[in-house]
Amino acid sequence: MLTVETSLKEAMTSIEGSLGVALVDYTSGMALGTLGGGKDLDLSVAAAGNTDVIRAKVRTMEMLDLRDDIEDVLITLGSQYHLIRLLGGRGSNGLFLYLVLDKARANLAMARHQLKRIEAELEL
């Protein structure tokens, strides 16, 4: 089992092209942990903004009466992928992993696979 800090380090080191990663509480919009980022990527601001994305999708699913779970959300920019993976399991309600990737260096399929593995090993 991985702690939050270890999980974030694992994402940054094992996922090719990682620029930043955060564990976010989408009920409050707060980042519970961040690693990476920089002057051009403020992970706290991005985490708060992406809570709106998740909230909107959850509301839409409720309005459509879709009884399913969101695995992840992908936002593709010109030079980056922004991957939001909602955490499942006990004690993780309202949390997501947020990963920013350099589009030129990342393998999106492998990043999704690795993030799913990290989620499974994360202990909250």
Side-chain angles (χ1 to χ4, degrees), residues 48-122:
N50 281 299
T51 61
D52 292 334
V53 172
I54 296 303
R55 289 177 190 154
K57 187 59 189 170
V58 168
R59 275 192 314 272
T60 302
M61 289 178 64
E62 288 170 356
M63 289 187 304
L64 294 171
D65 199 29
L66 294 176
R67 300 187 193 284
D68 209 343
D69 297 321
I70 301 170
E71 284 187 31
D72 58 40
V73 175
L74 172 65
I75 300 169
T76 305
L77 304 179
S79 62
Q80 296 175 344
Y81 293 122
H82 291 232
L83 187 57
I84 302 167
R85 179 160 186 90
L86 276 72
L87 273 58
R90 199 180 94 232
S92 61
N93 193 24
L95 300 179
F96 65 85
L97 284 167
Y98 172 60
L99 178 66
V100 180
L101 300 162
D102 178 337
K103 196 172 170 182
R105 295 182 18 237
N107 177 324
L108 185 56
M110 283 302 296
R112 289 183 72 220
H113 176 74
Q114 289 288 80
L115 203 57
K116 183 177 182 178
R117 179 188 58 77
I118 291 167
E119 173 206 359
E121 295 176 9
L122 176 61

Side-chain angles (χ1 to χ4, degrees), residues 22 24 29-31 34 41-50 98:
V24 184
M30 291 187 60
T34 64
L41 178 59
D42 185 330
L43 287 171
S44 294
V45 171
N50 281 299
Y98 172 60

